[in-house]
Amino acid sequence: QYPNVSPEKRLVLALSAFGHDMGKMFKDIQRPKEDGGTSYHEHEDHSPKILDLFLKHIHLHPLVRDTSLITKFHMRPYSLKG
């Protein structure tokens, strides 16, 4: 669908999507909601750290910076809406 996007950029986006919610596994950030669900405030601070370790473990060091930034700021659009 996006033929002008390089394979490396595609991989960065795919890995960022894969890891963007990894921080939700930390019990310290899990908060019950009134409707019975769970809120995960600040998971975006933990997810990049976990993804960084994973990418380094599988020897994808060159992708760490970009995936980290995308993963860290994936919630930013929600804070910008009125």
Side-chain angles (χ1 to χ4, degrees), residues 19-33 37-50 71 74-75:
H20 80 281
D21 280 341
M22 287 181 168
K24 289 183 176 182
M25 73 175 87
F26 287 100
K27 292 269 186 211
D28 294 347
I29 64 165
Q30 298 175 10
R31 303 279 187 272
K33 291 172 33 178
T38 306
S39 173
Y40 302 96
H41 288 285
E42 300 176 6
H43 75 280
E44 65 274 13
D45 295 330
H46 299 283
S47 296
K49 296 172 191 173
I50 299 167
T71 304
H74 81 276
M75 295 297 293

Side-chain angles (χ1 to χ4, degrees), residues 3-4 8 10-11 13 16 21 23 25 30 33 35 40 43 49-51 53-55 57 60 64 69-70 72 79:
N4 297 328
E8 183 177 336
R10 288 176 190 268
L11 182 57
L13 290 173
S16 298
D21 280 341
M25 73 175 87
Q30 298 175 10
K33 291 172 33 178
D35 66 2
Y40 302 96
H43 75 280
K49 296 172 191 173
I50 299 167
L51 185 57
L53 291 171
F54 172 72
L55 293 176
H57 181 73
L60 290 177
V64 168
L69 289 172
I70 293 169
K72 174 146 184 72
S79 67

